[in-house]
Amino acid sequence: MAWLVVLEKMVVLVALILVGVISAKAGWIDARFSQMLSRLVMNVFIVCTILNSVVNVEPIFTGGELGTAILVAFVPFLVGCGVGFLVTRVLGLRGQARHVAWMCVLFMNNVFVGFPLVEAIFGPEAVFCASLTNIPFNLILYTLGVSLLHQQEGKGRINVREIFSVPLVATLAAIVIFLLQVPVPAMIEDFLSTMGAATVSLSMIIIGVSLSTMPMREALLDWRAYVVSLTRLVLCPVLTVLLMGPLLPEGSAALGVYTVVSACPSGAMIAILCVRFQTDDRLASKIIFLSTVLSALTLPLMTYFLL
């Protein structure tokens, strides 16, 4: 009945997203406030959520299985890389539009959508497993991804410091706590739990504010954006499950966690980087908008058929 849980949670998440949309339309929240709030969520609340997933909880796998879980975390991104490469060429996209669409298939919204869903379905202890996807996400985004966006300048720029984002550092810290079984005082555990509880609501509101500024009419009329979105939401998780199955033991909780993460919509970070590097941010915004809206339907379906 995991699909039913996902359906119920997606209804709640969509409601929270609508709160963000309405708040932005009403002028209660502006783009600057949302941007600052997203930094706070990324650097504080999500960090607490990740650390809380390994503090005084029953782990979903043993220390000996951790290495396999980290390696398998790369599979959804390898699938997205290969599928995105093929689909963008079949669509006949050229130049930066091809690179942007490719990245929208390759990178899912594992943090703002994936983590809340994983916690809702598998419990807070499963967030640690989901956070392992931060490792390939950051490594690939700030190497291949940034290089692609910089190709119009004739060179790729890789900033090693950006690879080690705050959530990635939190993930590495969580690995240490997990392996060494570091005892954490009850007061700190309570703090992490309380802070982490706000992550879901704030994350969805941020997405809602972001969607309120996106070209909705253009997105709804762009058939290529639909193809890219459905590739991200349907084809990628199906292929990911087929490849991960033989690599993980039967009944592994990691398989379910990575399946949910791989079925998430395109990552908002793509649009942010497009703006930063002055590439086709409107195409990225359209795909992110469509994939986020469509995921309310596809995520329960993918969970029903794949889990």
Side-chain angles (χ1 to χ4, degrees), residues 101-284:
W102 184 7
M103 291 177 66
C104 285
V105 175
L106 172 54
F107 297 104
M108 75 291 290
N109 198 332
N110 63 323
V111 173
F112 287 112
V113 177
F115 287 9
L117 275 179
V118 167
E119 182 175 7
I121 300 171
F122 303 103
E125 64 277 5
V127 175
F128 171 56
C129 181
S131 73
L132 296 177
T133 59
N134 282 326
I135 298 174
F137 186 100
N138 282 56
L139 288 176
I140 299 172
L141 179 64
Y142 290 107
T143 53
L144 174 63
V146 170
S147 179
L148 286 174
L149 293 180
H150 267 301
Q151 279 191 7
Q152 66 177 13
E153 301 175 6
K155 60 181 178 179
R157 298 177 183 175
I158 298 173
N159 190 329
V160 176
R161 185 172 64 86
E162 289 184 322
I163 294 176
F164 290 92
S165 66
V166 176
L168 177 58
V169 172
T171 299
L172 298 178
I175 291 175
V176 173
I177 295 173
F178 173 80
L179 291 176
L180 301 181
Q181 291 295 294
V182 178
V184 176
M187 184 180 298
I188 295 179
E189 178 186 356
D190 186 44
F191 171 79
L192 294 174
S193 176
T194 302
M195 292 290 286
T199 301
V200 176
S201 299
L202 293 177
S203 298
M204 295 304 107
I205 289 174
I206 290 169
I207 290 175
V209 175
S210 177
L211 291 180
S212 71
T213 64
M214 290 185 180
M216 184 182 303
R217 180 179 176 82
E218 288 184 39
L220 294 175
L221 297 176
D222 190 336
W223 66 272
R224 289 185 176 86
Y226 281 97
V227 174
V228 174
S229 297
L230 291 175
T231 299
R232 163 73 264 152
L233 296 170
V234 178
L235 187 56
C236 284
V238 170
L239 293 177
T240 296
V241 170
L242 292 176
L243 290 176
M244 284 194 304
L247 301 176
L248 293 170
E250 186 176 353
S252 171
L255 178 60
V257 170
Y258 292 150
T259 299
V260 171
V261 171
S262 68
C264 286
S266 301
M269 183 59 70
I270 307 306
I272 294 172
L273 289 178
C274 285
V275 172
R276 176 178 169 184
F277 298 133
Q278 299 180 338
T279 56
D280 194 355
D281 62 293
R282 293 186 69 81
L283 176 60

Side-chain angles (χ1 to χ4, degrees), residues 88-105:
T88 54
R89 278 153 180 76
V90 171
L91 290 176
L93 295 172
R94 295 287 185 271
Q96 285 301 305
R98 174 184 292 178
H99 296 153
V100 169
W102 184 7
M103 291 177 66
C104 285
V105 175

Side-chain angles (χ1 to χ4, degrees), residues 10-30 33-34 37 198 200-213 292:
M10 286 305 299
V11 171
V12 173
L13 294 182
V14 169
L16 290 171
I17 290 173
L18 289 176
V19 171
V21 173
I22 294 171
S23 298
K25 294 294 186 182
W28 302 335
I29 301 176
D30 59 17
F33 177 83
S34 177
L37 182 60
V200 176
S201 299
L202 293 177
S203 298
M204 295 304 107
I205 289 174
I206 290 169
I207 290 175
V209 175
S210 177
L211 291 180
S212 71
T213 64
T292 302

